[in-house]
């Protein structure tokens, strides 16, 4: 089980120590042997967190803020030569305070590691399908299931199904991969619960978007809750590895909740969307609207209830839930309320990530094939295609043996999206404004020890 | 407004008349000038319905049942030479009775036509964005909105925004296309309400999946509620135009509703999914599960509540909602209950279609480029790729001027999916069993008058 006490100490210690370590850094994970660690006793290798400090948020230079990369000093030494290597990368984009992003960057991978430890015996036998059911003592080898000989079915019971072939047809097969996906999903939920539990004692403020990549047993699991993004670049082709969760992309889910649970709207919001605010004198006129069932728009006669503020309002980067928050998934935000009201926003937010799986063994990867993970600050000004082109052309100009070329590629991406300081502010090559948000990105090679050699 | 009385008569009349018209037919819509009709006074051209008659459901021959194509005799003549042409194709796959499928095949396009009529003035000026708001009399030309001169804003009101440039920035632009999508969505909902209203008087039984395609002003709108499917084949490439809505694809939506409204589960079902039924003696053991937040699986300790039947259960074509129904969107089913209980299933079903839009003007279409619409009977045994290959190679062997070649291509698809009668039943070329379900399909050419010529 998770050692909370010990962790709290580490957590506090690291908050203090990392306050001095922050610097503007672009991180890449190179394929170093030490990345290969045991999953059971220890866990991971690189991780990074990122958050905003509002007091730094006043000049251009400071818009590109802290990305911190730590190689944890306290990785336990593993006891024998065996074990399953695991690599983990996390990007935590905080808002309304740094506490949540810091805590998540310290703990999320440990929660995942611990849950993976619970199914270590399954990971060691990946060719065997996980048992559907485990005995009371949790031992997987006494499970009921397809192992006919071990079946605990009592032949004296009239409804007992002892014929393994019948069982086979009435059971849904669950893969090891989907068990790992479930572990990542539930770890995000547990992380969110931990933040809620600890937020008072440790003054954990705000919330954060979380994007995590886990490399385990030849597969890459990319979990996203928020508006960060990950793509794979393979032979210059873009393969999306995440979707963004914003008021616009999750409008229907939020409206559906507002429709089913109107009390959550606190009599101040309507679950309907309108293209603009309605004025009182417009009662009885017709206005465009859409509800949780619609992607298109239609006219409706305006009634009193429509004068309330729409639950989802605004477009693009300005879209907000309850006029407050611009992302709909992430960790934290338990105390977030609508300004000047008692309406909580958390019920509309989800801490559940979408997990996409990429099977590294299915493709050949060259040295220029990479996973790029970045915060919205990167993707707001640079498209997937532009990122792929920039990374591909940068890497192809590097010396293949250069150990820092992925770091330099990440730096290149960051510089590109920040732009160049001109008379009229930071400008991109196309003269548009550079990203005003802070930017974090990873450029992670898929070949080498991490993937099949080419 | 919709002339319900008149329609009811027609509806009843046509039930009688079509009972003799049913035949095993594959329908294709060829590009006949008469397809081009006015949208305002009249409407459409071809439509087809399809349903099962259980008494015919006993031999192989009868598995491939009625697809009825009607050229409506009662299309009103339009009064002048102007107007907007519209084409409509509908596939209604009934279950538990034919009434719902028949009624929808008679009315859905009329509901769409009438609603389009309401915005006829907007369709006639497609380059102007639809006004956000309409005056009380519904007249679009007195709308408040971007037309600064017409703004009803009272300059004496302190909060009036009279500067059109400010209005522009605070209003969300809504396209004509999304208004048409909204019309299609709301027509499906209205259709479902009509079925509910009329079901007692006219003994409308069962429910149906509905797949409709509307060609209007250079765009193809494909609306799907159910498990039928539409694809476009363009230069032999497959472009999906719909997604299926089944207990598996909509599991999380349904589980979320069961989670938020447990009373709908009637104390007999659990919103959690398990890979198999749990037996009472397994209490306290651990079993794989997933809830509405998860795509992966995890173990949980079995408690009393988990002994209830899972809301979603089964795999593939055998997946069911509440052990009853295998599709999660469609029309009708208002009376459907769980067997031997008082639990209604309708709250979990949605009548809202997903509408995909294809801009015909953006591509060049050759004579072999088509839209294929088909019921699950087709797609269960023939993949998108196989359909595309079969249609493409069939059409390329036809005489380009042959007016029935699309009909023959549809027939080819149907025959392929039914298979050939051998000693061990109907068999596909690959020796698998042919479709045991009834099959309907349209093969609709995208070039010619319906699309840009190539």
């Amino acid at each position: 089980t998770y050692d909370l006490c010990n962790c709290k100490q580490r957590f506090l210690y690291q908050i203090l120590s990392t306050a001095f370590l922050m610097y503007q850094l672009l991180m890449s994970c190179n394929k170093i042997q030490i990345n290969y660690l045991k999953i059971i006793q220890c866990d991971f290798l690189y991780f990074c967190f990122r958050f905003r400090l509002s007091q730094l948020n006043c000049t251009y230079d400071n818009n590109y803020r802290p990305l911190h990369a730590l190689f944890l000093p306290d990785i336990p030494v593993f006891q024998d030569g065996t074990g399953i290597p695991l690599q983990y990368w996390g990007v935590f984009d905080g808002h309304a305070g740094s506490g949540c992003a810091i805590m998540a960057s310290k703990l999320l991978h440990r929660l995942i590691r611990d849950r993976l430890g619970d199914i270590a015996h399954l990971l060691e036998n990946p060719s065997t399908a996980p048992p559907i059911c485990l005995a009371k003592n949790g031992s997987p080898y006494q499970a009921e299931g397809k192992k006919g000989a071990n079946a605990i079915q009592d032949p004296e019971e009239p409804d007992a199904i002892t014929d393994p072939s019948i069982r086979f047809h009435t059971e849904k097969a669950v893969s090891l991969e989907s068990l790992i996906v479930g572990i990542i999903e539930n770890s995000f939920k547990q992380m969110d619960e931990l933040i809620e539990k600890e937020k008072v004692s440790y003054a954990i403020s705000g919330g954060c978007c979380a994007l995590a990549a886990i490399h385990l047993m030849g597969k890459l699991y990319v979990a996203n809750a928020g508006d960060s993004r990950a793509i794979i670049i393979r032979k210059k082709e873009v393969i999306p590895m995440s979707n963004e969760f914003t008021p616009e992309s999750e409008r229907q889910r939020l409206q559906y909740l507002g429709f089913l649970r109107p009390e959550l709207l606190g009599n101040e919001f309507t679950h309907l969307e309108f293209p603009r605010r309605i004025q009182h004198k417009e009662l009885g006129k017709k206005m465009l609207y859409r509800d949780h069932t619609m992607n298109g728009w239609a006219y409706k006669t305006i009634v009193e209830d429509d004068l309330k503020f729409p639950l989802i309002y605004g477009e693009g980067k300005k879209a907000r839930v309850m006029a407050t928050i611009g992302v709909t998934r992430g960790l934290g935000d338990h105390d977030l309320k609508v300004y000047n009201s008692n309406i909580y926003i958390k019920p509309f937010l989800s801490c559940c990530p979408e997990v996409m799986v990429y099977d590294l063994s299915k493709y050949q990867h060259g040295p220029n094939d990479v996973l790029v993970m970045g915060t919205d600050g990167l993707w707001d000004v640079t498209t997937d295609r532009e990122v792929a082109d920039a990374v591909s052309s940068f890497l192809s100009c590097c010396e293949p043996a250069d150990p820092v070329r992925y770091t330099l590629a990440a730096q290149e991406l960051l510089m590109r999206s920040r732009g160049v300081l001109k008379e009229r502010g930071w400008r991109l090559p196309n003269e548009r404004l550079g990203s005003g948000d802070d930017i974090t990105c990873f450029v992670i090679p898929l070949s080498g020890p991490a993937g099949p050699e080419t």
Side-chain angles (χ1 to χ4, degrees), chain A:
Chain A
T1 58
Y2 184 66
D3 180 357
L4 199 59
C5 274
N6 190 6
C7 152
K8 271 184 210 165
Q9 287 171 352
R10 274 210 295 271
F11 174 47
L12 281 176
Y13 164 73
Q14 290 186 350
I15 287 183
L16 295 172
S17 62
T18 58
F20 302 98
L21 284 171
M22 294 181 308
Y23 53 108
Q24 185 180 323
L25 175 83
L26 345 156
M27 189 53 213
S28 84
C29 272
N30 299 317
K31 10 164 190 169
I32 307 171
Q33 268 310 321
I34 205 154
N35 289 1
Y36 284 72
L37 296 168
K38 285 191 66 169
I39 192 173
I40 313 307
Q41 287 89 346
C42 64
D43 44 359
F44 67 105
L45 15 121
Y46 283 120
F47 76 102
C48 113
F49 67 86
R50 166 177 178 274
F51 53 91
R52 288 174 195 156
L53 293 178
S54 50
Q55 70 272 24
L56 295 181
N57 205 2
C58 48
T59 71
Y60 282 114
D61 274 315
N62 287 327
N63 274 330
Y64 310 98
R65 235 124 352 92
L67 167 57
H68 175 60
L70 256 193
F71 187 78
L72 270 205
D74 57 346
I75 292 176
V77 179
F78 47 97
Q79 287 148 358
D80 56 56
T82 66
I84 299 161
L86 172 133
Q87 286 171 299
Y88 169 95
W89 301 264
V91 175
F92 302 92
D93 188 0
H95 51 254
S98 59
C100 183
I102 296 177
M103 185 170 173
S105 73
K106 305 287 180 208
L107 297 190
L108 180 60
H109 55 288
R110 291 164 189 257
L111 301 179
I112 294 171
R113 186 260 326 256
D114 289 351
R115 284 172 182 262
L116 286 171
D118 291 343
I119 61 158
H121 50 284
L122 300 175
L123 297 176
E124 282 161 357
N125 297 292
S127 58
T128 314
I132 299 295
C133 189
L134 303 177
K136 284 188 193 189
N137 64 5
S139 159
Y141 298 110
Q142 295 184 30
E144 299 189 26
K146 292 173 196 165
K147 297 185 180 179
N150 288 351
I152 310 180
Q153 296 288 349
D154 185 348
E156 284 152 37
E157 277 200 31
D159 67 340
I161 303 167
T162 45
D163 180 351
S165 70
I166 293 177
R167 293 197 66 106
F168 183 80
H169 284 295
T170 53
E171 276 184 12
K172 196 164 190 163
V174 172
S175 66
L176 188 57
E177 176 183 308
S178 63
L179 221 60
I180 295 169
V181 170
I183 280 174
I184 296 169
E185 291 171 329
N186 284 342
S187 298
F188 271 67
K189 283 188 265 178
Q190 189 186 357
M191 187 67 239
D192 197 54
E193 287 160 14
L194 274 178
I195 290 169
E196 184 173 23
K197 239 187 242 171
E198 308 284 313
K199 69 181 192 303
V200 181
S201 325
Y202 296 96
I204 302 164
S205 55
C208 68
C209 295
L211 172 65
I214 291 120
H215 174 221
L216 180 65
M217 297 167 68
K219 288 182 181 170
L220 206 52
Y221 298 82
V222 178
N224 184 41
D227 63 0
S228 296
R229 188 188 300 170
I231 63 171
I232 279 176
I233 305 169
R234 190 181 66 217
K235 307 211 187 308
K236 297 182 185 174
E237 186 199 343
V238 172
I239 299 152
M241 287 302 294
S242 68
N243 289 303
E244 284 88 64
F245 297 99
T246 66
E248 288 190 319
S249 71
E250 293 217 280
R251 175 183 57 84
Q252 288 178 285
R253 175 177 75 77
L254 273 60
Q255 288 184 310
Y256 189 46
L257 179 60
F259 169 74
L260 288 175
R261 288 264 177 89
E263 70 273 15
L264 296 177
L265 301 171
N267 217 27
E268 286 196 25
F269 293 90
T270 165
H271 76 281
L272 298 180
E273 183 185 10
F274 298 101
R276 66 162 167 82
R277 284 305 306 272
I278 303 175
Q279 298 172 45
H280 194 273
K281 63 178 182 185
E282 291 174 321
L283 270 173
K285 295 194 176 68
K286 287 184 177 182
M287 189 165 233
L288 288 173
Y289 82 102
R290 53 180 176 175
D291 65 19
H292 66 280
T293 68
M294 301 167 72
N295 262 309
W297 294 79
Y299 290 103
K300 84 181 286 290
T301 302
I302 299 168
V303 298
E304 194 75 30
D305 208 57
D306 302 330
L307 299 178
K308 295 173 182 168
F309 200 88
L311 171 61
I312 307 293
Y313 189 66
E315 275 185 285
K317 292 302 285 182
K318 287 179 182 162
R320 292 285 179 277
V321 181
M322 292 176 152
T324 306
I325 188 168
V327 286
T328 52
R329 297 210 189 183
L331 305 168
D333 290 317
H334 296 88
D335 293 332
L336 189 65
K337 289 184 190 178
V338 175
Y339 179 71
N340 220 358
S341 89
N342 247 328
I343 304 171
Y344 281 95
I345 293 170
K346 184 70 175 173
F348 292 93
L349 307 179
S350 168
C351 60
C352 305
E354 181 184 43
V355 183
M356 292 199 191
V357 186
Y358 179 83
D359 189 341
L360 286 159
S361 68
K362 280 203 175 159
Y363 308 92
Q364 291 257 311
H365 296 98
N368 297 347
D369 296 338
V370 294
L371 170 71
V372 177
M373 300 167 70
T375 55
D376 59 331
L378 173 69
W379 307 102
D380 286 347
V381 298
T382 315
T383 65
D384 290 6
R385 187 66 260 157
E386 287 166 346
V387 166
D389 290 345
V391 170
S392 297
S393 72
F394 184 91
L395 289 178
S396 62
C397 293
C398 290
E399 187 64 45
D402 185 350
V404 297
R405 65 205 195 97
Y406 301 106
T407 306
L408 293 174
Q411 193 163 29
E412 164 76 10
L413 278 185
L414 188 147
M415 296 302 182
R416 244 188 95 88
S417 301
R418 184 189 58 176
V420 175
L421 188 55
K422 295 191 178 175
E423 283 164 26
R424 295 166 302 116
W426 293 84
R427 295 280 163 176
L428 303 179
N430 58 16
E431 283 304 307
R432 282 179 307 175
L433 267 179
S435 181
D437 199 358
D438 43 334
I439 305 173
T440 296
C441 79
F442 276 122
V443 174
I444 302 163
L446 299 180
S447 65
E453 301 278 1
T454 52

